[in-house]
Short mmCIF file of all heavy atoms in Angstrom, two decimals:
data_model
loop_
_atom_site.label_atom_id
_atom_site.label_comp_id
_atom_site.label_asym_id
_atom_site.label_seq_id
_atom_site.Cartn_x
_atom_site.Cartn_y
_atom_site.Cartn_z
N LEU A 1 -28.67 12.07 16.11
CA LEU A 1 -28.66 12.99 14.96
C LEU A 1 -28.06 12.19 13.80
O LEU A 1 -26.97 11.66 13.97
CB LEU A 1 -27.99 14.20 15.21
CG LEU A 1 -27.81 15.17 13.95
CD1 LEU A 1 -29.14 15.76 13.57
CD2 LEU A 1 -26.79 16.38 14.34
N SER A 2 -28.87 12.04 12.77
CA SER A 2 -28.19 11.37 11.56
C SER A 2 -27.08 12.17 10.89
O SER A 2 -27.16 13.39 10.88
CB SER A 2 -29.31 11.10 10.49
OG SER A 2 -30.22 10.23 10.96
N TYR A 3 -26.10 11.58 10.46
CA TYR A 3 -24.92 12.09 9.93
C TYR A 3 -24.15 11.31 8.91
O TYR A 3 -24.46 10.08 8.76
CB TYR A 3 -23.99 12.45 10.94
CG TYR A 3 -23.31 11.44 11.82
CD1 TYR A 3 -22.15 10.84 11.36
CD2 TYR A 3 -23.88 10.92 12.89
CE1 TYR A 3 -21.52 9.72 12.21
CE2 TYR A 3 -23.39 9.93 13.65
CZ TYR A 3 -22.18 9.32 13.27
OH TYR A 3 -21.59 8.34 13.97
N SER A 4 -23.39 11.92 8.08
CA SER A 4 -22.51 11.31 7.16
C SER A 4 -21.00 11.68 7.42
O SER A 4 -20.80 12.79 7.86
CB SER A 4 -22.89 11.57 5.71
OG SER A 4 -22.70 13.01 5.43
N VAL A 5 -20.06 10.87 7.13
CA VAL A 5 -18.71 11.09 7.26
C VAL A 5 -17.93 10.50 5.98
O VAL A 5 -18.52 9.43 5.51
CB VAL A 5 -18.08 10.30 8.45
CG1 VAL A 5 -16.55 10.81 8.64
CG2 VAL A 5 -18.78 10.82 9.73
N LEU A 6 -17.04 11.16 5.50
CA LEU A 6 -16.40 10.60 4.31
C LEU A 6 -14.94 10.74 4.63
O LEU A 6 -14.30 11.43 5.37
CB LEU A 6 -16.73 11.50 3.09
CG LEU A 6 -16.49 13.00 3.21
CD1 LEU A 6 -15.12 13.43 2.59
CD2 LEU A 6 -17.57 13.68 2.43
N ALA A 7 -14.17 9.89 3.85
CA ALA A 7 -12.61 9.87 4.09
C ALA A 7 -11.89 10.90 3.35
O ALA A 7 -12.08 11.27 2.18
CB ALA A 7 -12.09 8.57 3.64
N GLY A 8 -10.98 11.72 4.11
CA GLY A 8 -10.09 12.52 3.64
C GLY A 8 -8.82 11.94 3.47
O GLY A 8 -8.50 10.74 3.85
N ASN A 9 -7.81 12.54 2.71
CA ASN A 9 -6.42 11.89 2.53
C ASN A 9 -5.76 11.60 3.85
O ASN A 9 -5.12 10.55 3.85
CB ASN A 9 -5.66 12.84 1.70
CG ASN A 9 -5.48 14.35 2.23
OD1 ASN A 9 -6.59 14.87 2.44
ND2 ASN A 9 -4.28 14.75 2.42
N HIS A 10 -6.04 12.32 4.86
CA HIS A 10 -5.28 12.05 6.10
C HIS A 10 -5.85 10.84 6.90
O HIS A 10 -5.34 10.29 7.85
CB HIS A 10 -5.26 13.40 7.01
CG HIS A 10 -4.21 14.30 6.68
ND1 HIS A 10 -3.06 14.45 7.22
CD2 HIS A 10 -4.11 15.24 5.65
CE1 HIS A 10 -2.26 15.31 6.73
NE2 HIS A 10 -3.01 15.86 5.66
N ASP A 11 -7.17 10.56 6.55
CA ASP A 11 -7.83 9.46 7.20
C ASP A 11 -7.41 8.07 6.61
O ASP A 11 -7.44 7.15 7.39
CB ASP A 11 -9.35 9.55 7.09
CG ASP A 11 -9.95 10.83 7.71
OD1 ASP A 11 -9.52 11.08 8.85
OD2 ASP A 11 -10.75 11.48 7.09
N VAL A 12 -6.97 8.05 5.36
CA VAL A 12 -6.71 6.78 4.74
C VAL A 12 -5.03 6.76 4.50
O VAL A 12 -4.58 5.68 4.28
CB VAL A 12 -7.46 6.51 3.56
CG1 VAL A 12 -8.92 6.19 3.99
CG2 VAL A 12 -7.43 7.64 2.55
N ARG A 13 -4.42 7.91 4.45
CA ARG A 13 -3.04 7.90 4.32
C ARG A 13 -2.58 7.10 3.04
O ARG A 13 -1.69 6.37 3.07
CB ARG A 13 -2.22 7.45 5.49
CG ARG A 13 -2.51 8.27 6.72
CD ARG A 13 -2.29 9.76 6.62
NE ARG A 13 -0.88 9.99 6.47
CZ ARG A 13 -0.41 11.23 6.33
NH1 ARG A 13 -1.28 12.26 6.14
NH2 ARG A 13 0.87 11.58 6.17
N SER A 14 -3.33 7.30 2.02
CA SER A 14 -3.13 6.52 0.76
C SER A 14 -3.39 7.30 -0.36
O SER A 14 -4.43 8.08 -0.44
CB SER A 14 -4.02 5.27 0.80
OG SER A 14 -3.92 4.55 -0.31
N SER A 15 -2.59 7.24 -1.39
CA SER A 15 -2.89 7.94 -2.68
C SER A 15 -3.79 7.18 -3.51
O SER A 15 -4.16 7.64 -4.57
CB SER A 15 -1.53 8.17 -3.36
OG SER A 15 -0.90 6.91 -3.66
N THR A 16 -4.19 5.96 -3.19
CA THR A 16 -5.11 5.18 -3.99
C THR A 16 -6.52 5.68 -3.84
O THR A 16 -6.92 6.47 -2.96
CB THR A 16 -5.02 3.68 -3.61
OG1 THR A 16 -5.48 3.62 -2.22
CG2 THR A 16 -3.71 3.20 -3.78
N ASP A 17 -7.33 5.17 -4.62
CA ASP A 17 -8.69 5.64 -4.72
C ASP A 17 -9.61 4.76 -3.73
O ASP A 17 -9.00 4.02 -2.91
CB ASP A 17 -9.41 5.64 -6.19
CG ASP A 17 -9.32 4.35 -6.80
OD1 ASP A 17 -9.24 3.28 -6.08
OD2 ASP A 17 -9.29 4.32 -8.06
N ASP A 18 -10.92 4.84 -3.87
CA ASP A 18 -11.80 4.13 -2.99
C ASP A 18 -11.78 2.58 -3.05
O ASP A 18 -12.51 1.94 -2.43
CB ASP A 18 -13.20 4.65 -3.08
CG ASP A 18 -13.77 4.57 -4.51
OD1 ASP A 18 -13.19 3.81 -5.32
OD2 ASP A 18 -14.81 5.20 -4.79
N GLN A 19 -10.89 2.11 -3.95
CA GLN A 19 -10.80 0.67 -4.10
C GLN A 19 -9.55 0.17 -3.23
O GLN A 19 -9.04 -0.89 -3.45
CB GLN A 19 -10.57 0.17 -5.52
CG GLN A 19 -11.73 0.71 -6.46
CD GLN A 19 -13.08 0.19 -6.12
OE1 GLN A 19 -13.15 -1.03 -5.88
NE2 GLN A 19 -13.97 1.11 -5.72
N ARG A 20 -9.22 0.98 -2.31
CA ARG A 20 -7.93 0.62 -1.48
C ARG A 20 -8.18 -0.48 -0.58
O ARG A 20 -7.17 -0.99 -0.02
CB ARG A 20 -7.51 1.96 -0.65
CG ARG A 20 -8.53 2.34 0.39
CD ARG A 20 -8.16 3.67 1.12
NE ARG A 20 -8.21 4.79 0.14
CZ ARG A 20 -9.23 5.54 0.04
NH1 ARG A 20 -10.35 5.31 0.54
NH2 ARG A 20 -9.15 6.58 -0.86
N GLY A 21 -9.43 -0.85 -0.28
CA GLY A 21 -9.63 -2.04 0.58
C GLY A 21 -9.76 -1.56 2.08
O GLY A 21 -10.15 -0.49 2.37
N ASP A 22 -9.52 -2.52 2.91
CA ASP A 22 -9.69 -2.36 4.38
C ASP A 22 -8.84 -1.14 4.97
O ASP A 22 -7.81 -0.88 4.48
CB ASP A 22 -9.49 -3.61 5.22
CG ASP A 22 -9.92 -3.49 6.65
OD1 ASP A 22 -10.86 -2.78 6.85
OD2 ASP A 22 -9.32 -4.08 7.51
N SER A 23 -9.30 -0.42 6.02
CA SER A 23 -8.55 0.53 6.69
C SER A 23 -9.11 0.78 8.06
O SER A 23 -10.30 0.42 8.39
CB SER A 23 -8.62 1.84 5.93
OG SER A 23 -9.93 2.44 5.85
N ALA A 24 -8.44 1.32 8.95
CA ALA A 24 -8.91 1.73 10.29
C ALA A 24 -10.17 2.60 10.08
O ALA A 24 -11.15 2.53 10.75
CB ALA A 24 -7.86 2.39 11.11
N TYR A 25 -10.07 3.60 9.17
CA TYR A 25 -11.19 4.49 8.87
C TYR A 25 -12.47 3.68 8.55
O TYR A 25 -13.54 3.93 9.06
CB TYR A 25 -10.93 5.46 7.74
CG TYR A 25 -12.03 6.17 7.35
CD1 TYR A 25 -12.43 7.30 7.95
CD2 TYR A 25 -12.85 5.80 6.10
CE1 TYR A 25 -13.66 7.97 7.50
CE2 TYR A 25 -13.97 6.31 5.81
CZ TYR A 25 -14.45 7.51 6.45
OH TYR A 25 -15.55 8.22 6.13
N LEU A 26 -12.23 2.70 7.58
CA LEU A 26 -13.48 1.91 7.09
C LEU A 26 -14.09 1.17 8.25
O LEU A 26 -15.31 1.05 8.30
CB LEU A 26 -13.07 1.12 5.95
CG LEU A 26 -14.16 0.46 5.18
CD1 LEU A 26 -15.13 1.46 4.63
CD2 LEU A 26 -13.67 -0.56 4.13
N ARG A 27 -13.30 0.57 9.06
CA ARG A 27 -13.82 -0.15 10.23
C ARG A 27 -14.67 0.67 11.12
O ARG A 27 -15.61 0.21 11.78
CB ARG A 27 -12.70 -0.99 10.96
CG ARG A 27 -12.13 -2.03 10.02
CD ARG A 27 -11.04 -2.87 10.86
NE ARG A 27 -9.91 -2.19 11.34
CZ ARG A 27 -8.89 -2.02 10.57
NH1 ARG A 27 -8.72 -2.58 9.37
NH2 ARG A 27 -7.86 -1.39 11.05
N ALA A 28 -14.17 1.89 11.36
CA ALA A 28 -14.89 2.82 12.33
C ALA A 28 -15.98 3.61 11.67
O ALA A 28 -17.08 3.84 12.24
CB ALA A 28 -13.89 3.78 12.94
N PHE A 29 -15.79 4.04 10.51
CA PHE A 29 -16.80 5.03 9.77
C PHE A 29 -17.34 4.41 8.51
O PHE A 29 -17.77 5.06 7.59
CB PHE A 29 -16.06 6.32 9.49
CG PHE A 29 -15.84 7.13 10.75
CD1 PHE A 29 -14.55 7.16 11.15
CD2 PHE A 29 -16.82 7.80 11.42
CE1 PHE A 29 -14.29 7.85 12.44
CE2 PHE A 29 -16.58 8.46 12.59
CZ PHE A 29 -15.32 8.44 13.08
N GLY A 30 -17.35 3.10 8.35
CA GLY A 30 -17.81 2.45 7.24
C GLY A 30 -19.44 2.31 7.35
O GLY A 30 -20.00 2.79 8.40
N PRO A 31 -20.08 1.66 6.46
CA PRO A 31 -21.53 1.48 6.40
C PRO A 31 -22.20 1.05 7.63
O PRO A 31 -23.30 1.39 7.99
CB PRO A 31 -21.80 0.67 5.18
CG PRO A 31 -20.61 0.67 4.32
CD PRO A 31 -19.47 0.96 5.26
N ALA A 32 -21.54 0.12 8.34
CA ALA A 32 -22.18 -0.35 9.55
C ALA A 32 -22.45 0.67 10.63
O ALA A 32 -23.41 0.55 11.37
CB ALA A 32 -21.17 -1.47 10.14
N ARG A 33 -21.66 1.86 10.61
CA ARG A 33 -21.86 2.78 11.56
C ARG A 33 -23.20 3.51 11.30
O ARG A 33 -23.85 4.07 12.23
CB ARG A 33 -20.75 3.84 11.44
CG ARG A 33 -20.92 4.89 12.51
CD ARG A 33 -19.77 5.78 12.74
NE ARG A 33 -19.71 6.31 14.03
CZ ARG A 33 -18.95 6.08 15.09
NH1 ARG A 33 -17.94 5.21 14.82
NH2 ARG A 33 -19.09 6.67 16.18
N TYR A 34 -23.66 3.56 10.08
CA TYR A 34 -24.86 4.40 9.77
C TYR A 34 -26.08 3.47 9.64
O TYR A 34 -27.15 4.00 9.39
CB TYR A 34 -24.62 5.06 8.42
CG TYR A 34 -23.29 5.79 8.27
CD1 TYR A 34 -22.37 5.30 7.39
CD2 TYR A 34 -22.93 6.77 9.09
CE1 TYR A 34 -21.07 5.76 7.28
CE2 TYR A 34 -21.67 7.41 9.06
CZ TYR A 34 -20.71 6.87 8.07
OH TYR A 34 -19.55 7.39 8.07
N ALA A 35 -25.96 2.20 9.74
CA ALA A 35 -26.99 1.31 9.35
C ALA A 35 -28.33 1.50 10.20
O ALA A 35 -29.47 1.30 9.70
CB ALA A 35 -26.53 -0.16 9.65
#
């Protein structure tokens, strides 16, 4: 089943915006997951 996931504040534990760089979230739920 195709799906999308987006980062919540608890997933990145950062007050910065989407320019925060690498994260455990991005490595698991980044673009490569949906390719």
Side-chain angles (χ1 to χ4, degrees):
L1 176 65
S2 290
Y3 63 90
S4 63
V5 184
L6 56 94
N9 53 305
H10 282 258
D11 297 316
V12 290
R13 304 303 291 175
S14 169
S15 60
T16 59
D17 58 27
D18 55 16
Q19 302 304 303
R20 65 184 65 90
D22 189 30
S23 66
Y25 168 85
L26 189 60
R27 291 190 294 274
F29 291 102
R33 185 168 201 112
Y34 317 112

